[in-house]
Amino acid sequence: MAESTLVFIVLGLTLAAFVWGRFRYDLVALAALLGSVVLGLVPGEEAFLGFGHPAVITVAAVLVLSRAFERSGVVDVIADQVFKVGERLFLQLAALTGTVVVLSGFMNNVGALALLLPVAMRLAREHDTSPSLLLMPLAFGSLLGGLTTLIGTPPNIIIASYRGSVTGENFGLFSFTPVGAAVALAGFAFILLIGWRLVPLRAGKASTEAMFDTANYLVELRVGEEAKANGLTLRELQQELEETIPVLAVVRDDRRRAGHAFFGTLREGDILLLEAGPEEMKLLEDKAGLSLGKDAEDEEKEAEEQAAREQQKAAKRAERPQEKRDEESERDGKPSKKAKQEKQEKQEEKSGVDTEGLQLVEAVVRNDSMMVNHTVTQLRLHNQFGLHLVAVARDGGRLKQRLREIRFRPGDVLLLQGGESELAESLATLGCLPLASRNLTLGQPRMLLASIAIFAAAIVAILLGLLPAAVALSSAALISLMVGVLPLREGYQAIDGPVIVLLGAMIPVGQALESSGGAALIAEAMLVWGGQWPAVVTLIGLFVLTMMLSDVINNAAAAVLMAPIAVSLANGFDASVDPFLMAVAVSASCAFLTPIGHQSNTLVMGPGGYRFGDYWRMGLPLEVVVVAVAIPMILLVWPL
């Protein structure tokens, strides 16, 4: 069997696996690489050279620098200004989308979205705006912003490096700017003036109250003398129940202890403060003997205390003139000041939750999260990370099945409870993005200025040709770690492992497509199909084909696969490779039709309450705008 045929079989199976989504894309890419080695398409000694490719190194360095910006407070300074736009939806859209477009040009676009997503959620809640009107424009803006520079998105880095292997000279840092900026500006104008009106209104579905409605499930249960829970730890209690029901706090001797920090055994008189619905309540009563309300002894004690309080009130009423006025007010039908205060105290006593030491937070599951396709039991969420899962929302609605049975998907919104000090680190390790509004800090001024200076020095080195982009950006990342802008541990966490594996594995497979003659065969078929038409028609076909491909697979993989086809097409027309490569770079990053084409789209699906079919409503006309602007600009800046 011809090598080109084998390559097509491998790529066909790989694309099918990408679309199916049963296995994570980095595992699919690695399987494609190893399969290519077994079939003799990639030499064994060259199998892992892709992991040392300049494009892979550059992507890793950009991810570290993006996290350094966040850590130093550079982005917080910008995001803090977004809160000042007021309640007008037009201004909110302009501020959010405009900011993410600019940020995405100089940092990872997913990172830029992650920083502004909590800001958008807070704006939506404070001004009673549906988050669905803000989040899809925000996601699409992050994709458009990535088009503007070399480091804005992985496809640009891949295409720049591929051009170097073909012509001996890479695209520069701002080679993408003329075309990318024009497309981003046109896309931004479309979103602001027309696009947001096409987004389906998912009113209220993305708010915590609508998705989880936790107030209705906040209950206190007492451990009685004969309760089965008496003498058990919280972990043993969960094992007895065969269900993970999060205990927010344990009240003992009028002192609250956070559930995640309570490691002793339960005893008579303890009060468990927890989240539970009717089914969980029945389970707790049947299997653990826990009960609502108070026993007779407590009721009698409380009655005596109430009587004593009444006597004290009567004595004070006789001594203080104010109390007399209060009585008169009550006779007139007006509540007294003291009555109001007592009513408020009772309400606080009834509904208040002592949050000291514990915190409830919303978080969305990222595409590359370790939680994907796993259950809470498999992850050992409480034992390993100190977190309790309270509820899960999917497609804007709370899931009704048991928490232990839920296999998490990208875009799921989780309500988690854990210790305030460890919460951020646990979410980062799990690969979840917090949605609750962050406490914006300006960071240490010295670190803020240091991060800007380090990044600026790297940009200057690239522009002056002193260092290749991979070396300059890696040096900037290293210096940021050494001077303390970013802790070393966070630096490693910032590197998106699945994306690195995807690139390192797919680059040799893409080279096999070219070396086997597969890319030339595809190019010849396109040339035969478009032989009667001008080269610009084939260029448009390449652009649209790549855009469609990026809607169903990772944009970096689309760029890797389409780059050799673009070069073969250029050679077939005896034209410059630059416009064809630039067409692949732009189109690979414009995945606007589905939530699975890009991480940014997936991240807003749950918080925005979107459905799979919502994206094309704004995405399709936006792609038409992109094609209409990009093709003329490519031909103007990079003539055939």
Side-chain angles (χ1 to χ4, degrees):
M1 189 178 294
E3 286 191 350
S4 58
T5 303
L6 292 174
V7 168
F8 289 144
I9 293 174
V10 171
L11 289 179
L13 293 174
T14 302
L15 291 177
F18 279 143
V19 174
W20 183 28
R22 176 63 179 84
F23 300 102
R24 217 167 63 178
Y25 55 78
D26 52 331
L27 299 180
V28 173
L30 191 58
L33 172 61
L34 297 178
S36 298
V37 173
V38 171
L39 294 173
L41 302 173
V42 176
E45 61 275 12
E46 299 177 7
F48 300 106
L49 294 182
F51 290 92
H53 195 277
V56 178
I57 303 301
T58 303
V59 169
V62 169
L63 292 172
V64 174
L65 290 173
S66 296
R67 182 65 64 85
F69 282 154
E70 177 186 358
R71 177 80 178 190
S72 66
V74 172
V75 181
D76 284 342
V77 173
I78 301 171
D80 192 30
Q81 304 303 312
V82 177
F83 287 125
K84 302 177 182 179
V85 298
E87 60 183 13
R88 289 187 59 189
L89 180 60
F90 179 85
L91 295 179
Q92 293 176 12
L93 284 167
L96 286 169
T97 310
T99 301
V100 82
V101 166
V102 174
L103 289 178
S104 297
F106 296 95
M107 61 185 295
N108 176 261
N109 47 18
V110 176
L113 174 70
L115 291 167
L116 290 175
L117 188 53
V119 179
M121 294 294 291
R122 178 176 166 183
L123 278 175
R125 289 170 182 172
E126 288 186 356
H127 300 292
D128 197 24
T129 304
S130 172
S132 64
L133 298 178
L134 297 176
L135 298 189
M136 191 179 294
L138 187 67
F140 287 0
S142 72
L143 270 63
L144 292 169
L147 302 174
T148 56
T149 66
L150 168 69
I151 60 177
T153 185
N156 287 4
I157 298 171
I158 293 166
I159 294 301
S161 296
Y162 191 80
R163 182 182 188 261
S165 66
V166 173
T167 67
E169 184 179 357
N170 291 9
F171 280 128
L173 179 64
F174 294 109
S175 297
F176 300 89
T177 304
V179 177
V183 172
L185 186 60
F188 173 66
F190 170 80
I191 290 172
L192 200 58
L193 299 175
I194 301 173
W196 69 271
R197 304 175 192 275
L198 306 176
V199 178
L201 185 65
R202 305 299 183 195
K205 284 193 173 182
S207 67
T208 311
E209 292 80 6
M211 285 193 294
F212 302 117
D213 198 16
T214 56
N216 294 336
Y217 296 90
L218 187 62
V219 296
E220 292 187 3
L221 296 177
R222 166 176 291 275
V223 179
E225 181 180 1
E226 299 181 359
K228 296 179 182 178
N230 198 350
L232 299 180
T233 64
L234 292 181
R235 181 179 178 182
E236 291 170 342
L237 176 61
Q238 291 175 351
Q239 291 175 346
E240 179 73 21
L241 298 172
E242 298 181 355
E243 173 67 278
T244 304
I245 299 178
V247 177
L248 300 181
V250 177
V251 182
R252 177 180 293 172
D253 299 329
D254 295 327
R255 180 184 174 188
R256 294 179 190 266
R257 297 174 175 83
H260 71 276
F262 184 85
F263 301 106
T265 57
L266 297 172
R267 64 190 188 199
E268 182 184 357
D270 286 349
I271 300 293
L272 304 186
L273 182 67
L274 47 80
E275 300 278 349
E279 294 181 2
E280 291 91 345
M281 291 285 296
K282 190 174 187 307
L283 183 68
L284 287 163
E285 182 179 359
D286 293 344
K287 289 195 172 184
L290 301 177
S291 59
L292 282 170
K294 302 175 175 59
D295 56 29
E297 182 180 350
D298 285 335
E299 290 178 354
E300 181 179 352
K301 181 179 179 181
E302 184 172 306
E304 293 175 355
E305 292 175 350
Q306 180 66 24
R309 285 196 295 267
E310 291 296 334
Q311 291 177 359
Q312 292 176 355
K313 289 178 183 178
K316 290 181 180 179
R317 191 178 299 116
E319 296 174 359
R320 297 172 57 188
Q322 176 63 41
E323 298 298 338
K324 185 176 182 180
R325 289 196 295 270
D326 288 344
E327 289 178 3
E328 292 173 353
S329 297
E330 291 176 0
R331 284 196 298 269
D332 293 336
K334 300 177 182 179
S336 67
K337 182 177 179 181
K338 188 173 184 63
K340 291 180 181 178
Q341 183 178 355
E342 289 177 357
K343 181 179 180 181
Q344 182 178 355
E345 289 176 353
K346 288 181 179 179
Q347 288 177 342
E348 291 176 352
E349 186 179 34
K350 180 179 179 181
S351 61
V353 180
D354 185 357
T355 58
E356 183 177 357
L358 63 92
Q359 183 176 349
L360 285 170
V361 65
E362 294 170 85
V364 62
V365 178
R366 294 179 50 144
N367 299 54
D368 55 352
S369 171
M370 63 185 295
M371 302 181 74
V372 174
N373 291 327
H374 290 84
T375 65
V376 65
T377 306
Q378 292 171 336
L379 292 166
R380 302 181 68 193
L381 202 62
H382 181 253
N383 293 335
Q384 294 290 340
F385 303 98
L387 297 176
H388 278 305
L389 179 66
V390 177
V392 181
R394 181 174 296 163
D395 298 335
R398 179 177 176 175
L399 295 180
K400 301 301 182 183
Q401 66 193 102
R402 287 193 171 187
L403 294 178
R404 65 179 181 180
E405 298 173 354
I406 297 173
R407 289 188 176 272
F408 301 109
R409 298 179 188 172
D412 283 351
V413 180
L414 315 180
L415 190 62
L416 298 164
Q417 179 257 331
E420 294 179 1
S421 57
E422 302 89 3
L423 198 57
E425 183 177 347
S426 296
L427 291 177
T429 304
L430 288 167
C432 292
L433 172 65
L435 293 178
S437 57
R438 298 180 304 147
N439 294 321
L440 296 179
T441 58
L442 299 182
Q444 300 178 11
R446 181 177 65 84
M447 293 293 98
L448 188 151
L449 295 177
S451 63
I452 295 176
I454 293 168
F455 182 72
I459 298 301
V460 170
I462 295 172
L463 292 176
L464 297 180
L466 301 178
L467 293 171
V471 177
L473 294 170
S474 297
S475 300
L478 175 62
I479 295 172
S480 297
L481 294 170
M482 293 182 68
V483 302
V485 173
L486 184 70
L488 183 60
R489 184 173 183 177
E490 287 193 29
Y492 279 110
Q493 289 178 344
I495 298 175
D496 195 343
V499 170
I500 299 300
V501 172
L502 170 73
L503 290 175
M506 288 304 295
I507 285 174
V509 177
Q511 292 171 345
L513 176 65
E514 182 178 12
S515 61
S516 66
L521 288 175
I522 296 175
E524 287 176 10
M526 294 183 70
L527 288 171
V528 170
W529 173 79
Q532 306 176 41
W533 303 94
V536 65
V537 175
T538 304
L539 183 67
I540 295 173
L542 175 68
F543 195 103
V544 173
L545 179 62
T546 307
M547 189 182 288
M548 292 173 60
L549 187 63
S550 70
D551 280 318
V552 294
I553 70 171
N554 182 275
N555 59 355
V560 169
L561 295 176
M562 297 305 294
I565 296 173
V567 171
S568 297
L569 280 173
N571 293 336
F573 280 108
D574 196 21
S576 170
V577 299
D578 291 341
F580 288 87
L581 288 176
M582 192 59 65
V584 170
V586 174
S587 56
S589 296
C590 293
F592 300 124
L593 296 185
T594 70
I596 62 174
H598 195 278
Q599 280 198 48
S600 293
N601 295 352
T602 307
L603 286 175
V604 300
M605 188 176 184
Y610 302 121
R611 301 188 181 100
F612 193 96
D614 289 344
Y615 287 78
W616 70 269
R617 298 172 184 268
M618 182 169 71
L620 184 58
L622 180 55
E623 289 195 352
V624 173
V625 171
V626 168
V627 175
V629 175
I631 295 299
M633 286 299 301
I634 289 173
L635 295 175
L636 178 64
V637 180
W638 308 97
L640 291 170

